[in-house]
Amino acid sequence: MSIEPTLPAPAEALSVPTVDMQASIGGVPVVSPVLTASGCSAFGQELDPFFDLTSIGAVVTKSVQLRPRSGRPTPRMAETPSGMLNSIGLQGPGIDGLLAEDLPWLAQRGVRAFVSIAGTRVEDFAELAARLRGVPGVLGLEVNISCPNVESRGEVFACDPVAAADVVAAVREVADPAQPVYAKLSPDVTDIVSVAAACAEAGANGLSMINTLLGLVIDPDTMRPVLGGVTGGLSGPAIRPVALRCVWQVHQALPNVPILGMGGIRSGLDALQFVLAGASAVSVGTAVFNDPSAPARIHAELADALGERGFGRLADAIGYAHRRPDPPAGRHSRGLQ
């Protein structure tokens, strides 16, 4: 840490310094540390009427697979206390549709795309990465090895360090060298640090944390599961403490590995918690369902929160909560007695 921020004196409280919000994704500079989250805003078109998409770090696309996918049975969404359960099941246009329509739409507007890819075999991920080499506007790849909304739990590569590393290594081998590769991890594991370390050793340039948690809701009237797919992924503020714990643990073990933090971020202060825990950028997902302008708003709120705490640069706040505890007040005076 290169600075020791101090809270502003009361007379200075109205003058918040300008904060350098420059961030990077796997070494690639971006204008903002705030990105969208995969699966919550499709390919960016839905958010375009509400704010300038070029003002955020990138649009993280909905996970794309080799072929179009219709997803899981309906109903697919259910509200939960402080959160939401979804069972979309990776519905999407497939890589051909993404390359023909969605990525050109983003590129024409100067919006950078962080493309989420998903598959059922290691070879699927590698083929998707190869198809995205050199595509204009593609900032990098988020490798979704942790989606809970698949019928076979055997497809959740992120539940096993070896399987996760196999996917990351195959993607990194064929992906465009200019495109950073992030592995998206699941919190539904006993030891997330071991999975994170395996992915980093396999060549991941960063980690996206966390995916949704596997959950279930039962309708007390029908006495059956609410979701057509029975289980779904829990998101929203309810999972924020879990996400923060994961970011904290992985940053503590792997402080040089960039982390894209996500999980229930609704405000700049929520985002600040992830940065202090060790995230160098954040994704905003479920919050866009009731505030489509949330990514831009949270960028502004995060800048204000950093400035109010004496930070001149976002970079200086990353992992700041891991510093040594402050010495107890009065320790020196007790020593003199």
Side-chain angles (χ1 to χ4, degrees):
M1 307 304 168
S2 60
I3 66 167
E4 285 296 332
T6 55
L7 290 174
E12 302 170 329
L14 296 178
S15 179
V16 177
T18 301
V19 177
D20 178 1
M21 295 292 281
Q22 183 80 29
S24 74
I25 299 297
V28 179
V30 291
V31 298
S32 167
V34 180
L35 289 70
T36 63
S38 179
C40 295
S41 51
F43 302 99
Q45 290 94 332
E46 286 85 350
L47 302 185
D48 186 51
F50 299 95
F51 68 94
D52 179 4
L53 294 175
T54 64
S55 68
I56 61 173
V59 168
V60 183
T61 71
K62 186 175 177 57
S63 293
V64 64
Q65 296 188 288
L66 287 175
R67 287 167 290 280
R69 183 176 172 119
S70 59
R72 303 184 83 183
T74 58
R76 294 176 168 179
M77 299 178 73
E79 290 191 28
T80 64
S82 297
M84 182 182 79
L85 205 64
N86 90 83
S87 178
I88 304 300
L90 300 178
Q91 176 186 347
I95 187 66
D96 291 334
L98 181 79
L99 291 170
E101 299 181 11
D102 303 298
L103 292 182
W105 185 90
L106 291 167
Q108 288 168 5
R109 286 157 178 77
V111 181
R112 307 185 85 172
F114 201 46
V115 179
S116 175
I117 59 175
T120 58
R121 306 174 304 149
V122 172
E123 293 80 3
D124 294 347
F125 287 92
E127 184 174 346
L128 288 162
R131 296 282 304 274
L132 289 161
R133 284 178 67 101
V135 174
V138 175
L139 168 68
L141 308 179
E142 184 175 79
V143 185
N144 185 1
I145 53 176
S146 53
C147 179
N149 294 321
V150 289
E151 294 175 3
S152 170
R153 295 295 294 166
E155 296 176 16
V156 184
F157 297 90
C159 290
D160 178 74
V162 175
D166 287 346
V167 175
V168 171
V171 169
R172 188 61 279 175
E173 182 177 2
V174 301
D176 191 326
Q179 297 172 349
V181 170
Y182 275 45
K184 189 167 188 178
L185 304 188
S186 170
D188 291 331
V189 294
T190 302
D191 180 10
I192 195 169
V193 172
S194 65
V195 181
C199 290
E201 291 171 5
N205 303 100
L207 304 167
S208 297
M209 299 166 57
I210 58 173
N211 212 320
T212 55
L213 290 86
L214 191 64
L216 171 71
V217 174
I218 292 179
D219 186 327
D221 294 323
T222 65
M223 296 183 286
R224 293 181 180 277
V226 171
L227 297 177
V230 181
T231 59
L234 179 64
S235 63
I239 73 168
R240 190 186 315 129
V242 177
L244 278 169
R245 182 266 300 173
C246 292
V247 171
W248 174 280
Q249 288 180 323
V250 171
H251 180 77
Q252 190 169 50
L254 306 167
N256 296 320
V257 176
I259 296 174
L260 176 59
M262 65 202 73
I265 296 175
R266 293 192 303 175
S267 70
L269 291 179
D270 294 342
L272 176 63
Q273 292 188 59
F274 279 83
V275 173
L276 296 174
S280 53
V282 297
S283 276
V284 176
T286 304
V288 303
F289 287 106
N290 66 3
D291 178 10
S293 67
R297 172 179 56 78
I298 290 171
H299 170 98
E301 292 176 353
L302 176 59
D304 287 345
L306 289 167
E308 288 167 357
R309 286 156 180 77
F311 290 101
R313 304 188 310 161
L314 165 80
D316 293 325
I318 298 170
Y320 193 74
H322 290 264
R323 71 191 187 283
R324 290 174 179 273
D326 298 328
R331 186 181 64 177
H332 297 301
S333 60
R334 287 198 298 271
L336 293 173
Q337 292 174 352

